[in-house]
């Protein structure tokens, strides 16, 4: 059974760039639903006990689309929470150098990230990833992710599904992305991922599956941050 990871900050910690309402709905409703559906479908597919990364890859290989969509969304959102911070800081020296090599400057990188995310048709994700030829920005549709792309290691992702920004920015996805890259992007986490892509550290992994909660309380539920321990 996969559990919904706790957010690494309070619901209101990202305001005003991301409201507490957006974050709470996104985490407690959307992400929770993906995790619950993954648990049900992974069990049916005989994948209980596997890591979420393995479930995503297995579902992609076998063409189990509904399982893939839910498992990949469960993983993408857990990764996404780590890609935001309430203590914004510019990239460190090593990440800054990699960004400048790939895009020319931090500003050019930010512009391209915003532009590609804003141009993504329909729902999806915009990523900064490390590949054989250095850093690149890419978008994926719906639940698609970098786990099933050979040779790519994700450093940063922003959710461009409407549920990520509509309460705060309505249809102005570009304003959301601009605010996100300038105020919320967690370059410290991206730097750790970059180091892992070069063999230093393991990089982000979804919390491993734990035992099924056969006797989960049915009475009044505790608050969401207490209910789903990391
Ligand atoms: Fe989302």
């Amino acid at each position: 059974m996969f559990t919904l990871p706790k957010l690494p900050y309070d619901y209101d910690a990202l305001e005003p760039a991301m409201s507490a309402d957006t974050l709470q709905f996104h985490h407690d409703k959307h992400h929770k639903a993906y995790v619950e559906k993954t648990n049900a479908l992974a069990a049916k597919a005989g994948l209980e006990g596997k890591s979420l990364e393995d479930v995503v890859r297995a579902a992609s290989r076998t063409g189990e689309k509904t399982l893939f969509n839910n498992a990949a969304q469960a993983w993408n959102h857990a990764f996404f929470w780590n890609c935001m911070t309430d203590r914004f800081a510019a990239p460190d020296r090593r990440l800054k150098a990699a960004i400048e090599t790939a895009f020319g400057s931090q500003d050019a990188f930010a512009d391209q990230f915003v532009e590609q995310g804003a141009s993504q048709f329909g729902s999806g994700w915009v990523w900064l990833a490390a590949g054989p030829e250095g850093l690149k920005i890419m978008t994926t549709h719906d639940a698609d992710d970098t786990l099933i792309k050979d040779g790519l290691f994700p450093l940063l992702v922003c959710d461009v599904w409407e549920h990520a920004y509509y309460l705060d920015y309505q249809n102005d996805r570009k304003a959301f992305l601009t605010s996100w890259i300038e105020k919320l992007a967690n370059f410290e986490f991206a730097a750790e991922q970059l180091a892992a892509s070069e063999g230093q550290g393991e990089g982000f992994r979804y919390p491993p599956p734990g035992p099924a909660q056969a006797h989960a309380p049915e009475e009044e539920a505790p608050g969401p941050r207490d209910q789903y321990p990391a």
Side-chain angles (χ1 to χ4, degrees):
M1 292 280 286
F2 296 108
T3 54
L4 181 66
K6 279 185 183 177
L7 289 170
Y9 27 69
D10 292 332
Y11 291 122
D12 61 358
L14 306 183
E15 290 188 333
M18 182 176 287
S19 69
D21 277 353
T22 289
L23 194 51
Q24 188 159 8
F25 271 105
H26 202 169
H27 178 264
D28 296 5
K29 304 291 184 188
H30 293 276
H31 194 187
K32 178 171 178 276
Y34 294 130
V35 172
E36 289 176 347
K37 286 175 190 163
T38 299
N39 282 330
L41 294 167
K44 280 185 193 167
L47 294 169
E48 267 181 332
K50 299 284 188 191
S51 71
L52 187 58
E53 290 81 4
D54 284 346
V55 171
V56 170
R57 293 188 180 109
S60 174
R61 275 197 306 274
T62 58
E64 291 173 87
K65 194 69 183 166
T66 308
L67 173 57
F68 173 80
N69 284 339
N70 282 284
Q73 284 293 78
W75 193 92
N76 290 348
H77 282 88
F79 189 81
F80 175 54
W81 308 136
N82 285 281
C83 290
M84 297 189 287
T85 179
D86 57 349
R87 290 165 295 165
F88 181 87
D92 68 4
R93 191 172 52 83
R94 186 175 178 182
L95 178 58
K96 181 170 181 279
I99 286 174
E100 288 175 353
T101 298
F103 307 105
S105 68
Q106 172 72 14
D107 286 348
F109 155 69
D111 287 348
Q112 287 184 43
F113 191 90
V114 168
E115 196 54 46
Q116 288 202 36
S119 303
Q120 161 68 19
F121 186 78
S123 297
W125 302 83
V126 55
W127 306 79
L128 173 66
E133 294 167 4
L135 303 192
K136 65 182 284 192
I137 297 167
M138 58 181 288
T139 57
T140 56
H141 271 291
D142 296 336
D144 193 16
D145 68 24
T146 50
L147 284 177
I148 57 167
K149 316 261 183 244
D150 285 343
L152 282 183
F153 202 99
L155 308 190
L156 210 55
V157 76
C158 184
D159 189 337
V160 296
W161 287 59
E162 285 188 347
H163 64 230
Y165 59 88
Y166 215 87
L167 285 177
D168 300 332
Y169 299 86
Q170 290 75 52
N171 62 325
D172 196 347
R173 186 192 285 176
K174 191 167 185 175
F176 162 61
L177 281 159
T178 301
S179 190
W180 193 89
I181 203 71
E182 291 178 355
K183 295 171 184 162
L184 299 183
N186 188 349
F187 289 108
E188 188 179 338
F189 175 72
E192 290 170 7
Q193 288 293 103
L194 178 62
S197 77
E198 296 169 347
Q200 296 169 15
E202 292 192 358
F204 174 84
R205 294 283 183 278
Y206 197 88
Q213 295 179 357
H215 302 289
E218 292 181 3
E219 57 271 12
E220 186 179 346
R225 287 173 65 81
D226 301 325
Q227 193 174 1
Y228 301 100

